[in-house]
Amino acid sequence: MGSAAPDVTGPAPAPRLLDSEAALREGVAALAGLDPVMARLVAAGAVPPLRRRPPGLEGLAGIVVAQQLSTASAGAIWARLKDRVPDLTAAALAAAPDAALREAGLSAPKIRTLRAVAAAVAAGHLPLDRLHALPADEAHRLMVAVHGIGPWTADVYLLFCLGHPDAFPAGDLALQEAARLADGLEARPSAAHLAARAELWRPWRGVAATVLWAYYARAKAREGAPVQT
């Protein structure tokens, strides 16, 4: 009996990282071809800028520090943390006394999260240096397995620190409100409903998030309201 012919095609190549304006424009064009709603938003001017944060442990720590804080408060705490722990490595975070982290302005839950992240990185359970090469769902799974890292933190890291084109923080309130406006819904969709809606945008869900944020910013500017993302 002859063997079956090998599959020489293999899986479709993953979209490249959003590491340049050209890569982002490529993603926007591809996304517009997947969904007429997205095409309409882009045509109306919801063209996102390239937004990047530092990758690695320092970038992830910055997201954790800034959660649920104003930009000014987060910046002040971050400056004090960097003053006390200039080299934000896993070893340095693990060795930093709780008192020093509290003096920087970190809450007890955020201290626990940063220590858990440092331990996971040191043990190899959170390979921050290769998450960019994994599918978004797998990278997300590895991140949320670390105590204190929730879905929003994981997806924001993947999208803005790594430029992962398919990371999608469905729990973000601004994204939910933008989707409500874009789809003409009466109520803001839940995270689960928005995640289901975003299936149409694979493998460009991260680009869809940036388009929705840009659309939300334009909508809030028209209303004269402050923009929150």
Side-chain angles (χ1 to χ4, degrees):
M1 181 181 294
S3 60
D7 180 5
V8 296
T9 60
R16 60 174 170 155
L17 297 178
L18 305 176
D19 55 4
S20 67
E21 290 287 350
L24 180 58
R25 297 285 82 78
E26 176 185 328
V28 168
L31 180 66
L34 292 174
D35 185 354
V37 173
M38 283 291 161
R40 172 172 55 82
L41 299 187
V42 172
V47 180
L50 183 69
R51 295 166 56 189
R52 295 299 302 272
R53 292 171 174 261
L57 182 57
E58 184 162 333
L60 180 54
I63 294 172
V64 171
V65 168
Q67 280 182 319
Q68 299 177 323
L69 294 176
S70 68
T71 301
S73 296
I77 293 173
W78 181 253
R80 291 195 295 268
L81 176 62
K82 287 288 289 180
D83 183 60
R84 288 160 175 79
V85 191
D87 185 21
L88 271 176
T89 63
L93 269 178
D98 280 354
L101 300 181
R102 286 196 300 268
E103 290 167 2
L106 290 170
S107 65
K110 289 185 178 181
I111 291 173
R112 288 195 295 270
T113 296
L114 290 178
R115 293 208 184 282
V117 168
V121 169
H125 301 316
L126 183 60
L128 292 178
D129 58 343
R130 64 180 180 86
L131 289 181
H132 66 280
L134 300 177
D137 293 340
E138 174 65 11
H140 182 278
R141 184 188 67 78
L142 288 174
M143 293 195 72
V144 298
V146 178
H147 177 77
I149 297 183
W152 184 89
T153 301
D155 285 318
V156 166
Y157 176 82
L158 293 174
L159 180 55
F160 292 119
C161 294
L162 300 186
H164 202 302
D166 202 35
F168 190 78
D172 187 88
L173 295 181
L175 282 188
Q176 293 171 9
E177 179 62 13
R180 183 190 72 80
L181 295 171
D183 287 334
L185 304 176
E186 292 186 3
R188 193 167 61 204
S190 66
H193 280 89
L194 185 54
R197 171 76 168 93
E199 287 298 311
L200 177 62
W201 304 326
R202 286 182 182 269
W204 299 103
R205 291 178 300 169
V207 178
T210 66
V211 169
L212 287 172
W213 273 316
Y215 176 65
Y216 176 76
R218 290 173 62 86
K220 294 294 102 178
R222 286 194 299 269
E223 296 175 4
V227 176
Q228 298 179 349
T229 58

